Amino acid sequence: MIAAATLATASGTALAWPDKTITIVVPTAAGGGNDAMARTIAAKLGPLLGQTVIIDNRAGANGSIASEYVARATPDGHTLMLGYIATHSMNPALQKLRYDPVKDFEPVGLVGYSPTLMVAHARTPVKDVKDLVAQLKASPDKYTYASAGNGTAPHFAAELFKLNAGVTMLGIPYKGSAPAVTDTIGGTTQFMFPSLYTAYPQVKAGKLRALAVAGPKRVPSLPDVPTLKEAGIDGVDVTQWYALFAPAKTPKAVVDQLNKALNQVLKDADTIKRIEDHGADVDTSTPEQLRAMVDSELAKWKSVVQKAKLTAD
């Protein structure tokens, strides 16, 4: 077991860590995929570190509220963030924010990946992607799509779909995926591009209908659902990722200990099952590997923003 310990910092001073409750800040509302993932990790991380680990949902401003909060938190390893593709690459690529996804954080470790799924309200009168495109070309803005906010993966995926399909569809941004999914289930909006992790339970229950995978391949849990490329729409590959971050200047000894504990949690059979049952793939990394990935993803989505002429409005 990795328990509370006295760690040596780079300056040679001793640091007792963890010596109080650890908070994982989640940038989305309770009930969404990010929240479920964070709670699954926290349940195992607490006993391993010998301290209580709590979840603090700080939804709003497309993840910026949570990101700014953690970026400015005391860098002692007691305030962490479950960051993801939107907070650390897409939203910063789309607009200037009051935090820097690279300079303001210490990467701790990767948690996993999830494909993006194109889903429809269960009773939307659309047979498949080809039918949807035909309907939208005949009646622009006939349907609306929900997103977890501008600069999030559901927003990027929908805009890339519109661009590559040559159609118009009005987007409605929400404060996180949970309320967006709820309104799509209810029919207020008709389409959404959530992560498979978020959408799978609703698809399984028949509350949403899966139309396509916005990724390079079909997913094993939904083998009959084609990729968008197979459905005739190329260029929409949005694989979502999730990772743990600490504020910049958190001591390396603490980050390394956190990485060790996180990777141990992600080897736990129960944790793997809980995450994979939602349709995500568990993956781990070193802090250095996660930093390189964030740099790469940021460059990738800046290029997409430029080529697709996306805006935050």
Side-chain angles (χ1 to χ4, degrees):
M1 175 184 282
I2 303 170
T6 301
L7 306 175
T9 66
S11 62
T13 56
L15 176 71
W17 180 89
D19 62 355
K20 59 182 179 182
T21 297
I22 294 170
T23 301
I24 297 178
V25 177
V26 176
T28 56
N34 298 46
D35 178 65
M37 188 174 285
R39 291 178 191 278
T40 296
I41 292 167
K44 300 285 184 176
L45 198 60
L48 202 56
L49 294 174
Q51 288 288 347
T52 301
V53 179
I54 62 171
I55 301 301
D56 181 4
N57 296 91
R58 290 181 179 260
N62 313 325
S64 293
I65 290 174
S67 301
E68 287 174 30
Y69 177 80
V70 175
R72 288 155 181 70
T74 303
D76 60 3
H78 293 97
T79 302
L80 308 172
M81 177 179 180
L82 185 81
Y84 70 124
I85 189 172
T87 57
H88 282 72
S89 58
M90 286 181 161
N91 203 21
L94 185 67
Q95 59 189 321
K96 188 168 178 57
L97 302 169
R98 290 185 293 185
Y99 72 91
D100 187 300
V102 176
K103 294 177 183 176
D104 289 341
F105 296 89
E106 297 294 342
V108 173
L110 189 63
V111 172
Y113 296 93
S114 180
T116 296
L117 201 62
M118 181 183 190
V119 299
H121 168 63
R123 293 183 297 281
T124 301
V126 168
K127 287 184 287 187
D128 51 26
V129 173
K130 188 177 179 181
D131 182 31
L132 171 62
V133 171
Q135 288 192 42
L136 287 173
K137 285 186 174 178
S139 303
D141 278 335
K142 179 178 183 179
Y143 297 116
T144 57
Y145 77 83
S147 79
N150 292 337
T152 62
H155 171 234
F156 268 73
E159 290 300 312
L160 286 173
F161 168 75
K162 286 165 54 180
L163 180 74
N164 288 285
V167 297
T168 304
M169 185 163 50
L170 182 67
I172 300 178
Y174 287 82
K175 292 182 178 179
S177 61
V181 167
T182 297
D183 268 13
T184 306
I185 289 171
T188 302
T189 51
Q190 292 78 49
F191 297 92
M192 188 179 170
F193 287 79
S195 68
L196 177 64
Y197 189 83
T198 296
Y200 185 67
Q202 312 302 336
V203 171
K204 200 174 177 182
K207 295 179 180 179
L208 291 173
R209 187 155 52 96
L211 293 182
V213 178
K217 60 183 181 180
R218 296 192 182 201
V219 297
S221 55
L222 298 169
D224 297 329
V225 177
T227 64
L228 274 171
K229 186 173 183 177
E230 289 174 326
I233 311 297
D234 205 354
V236 191
D237 182 356
V238 184
T239 299
Q240 304 193 40
W241 54 263
Y242 311 84
L244 204 62
F245 294 88
K249 298 182 181 177
T250 298
K252 186 178 185 303
V254 171
V255 171
D256 288 345
Q257 189 83 339
L258 270 168
N259 176 263
K260 185 179 177 182
L262 175 65
N263 289 349
Q264 190 168 328
V265 166
L266 295 173
K267 287 177 185 173
D268 176 77
D270 180 58
T271 301
I272 292 171
K273 186 177 187 304
R274 284 174 181 270
I275 292 175
E276 289 185 346
D277 279 354
H278 274 72
D281 294 317
V282 171
D283 203 355
T284 60
S285 75
T286 64
E288 293 75 23
Q289 288 168 334
L290 177 55
R291 185 177 294 281
M293 191 193 82
V294 170
D295 287 340
S296 171
E297 284 280 289
L298 198 53
K300 170 187 172 180
W301 292 108
K302 279 181 179 177
S303 175
V304 168
V305 166
Q306 193 173 18
K307 288 176 183 175
K309 295 182 173 62
L310 297 180
T311 69
D313 302 322

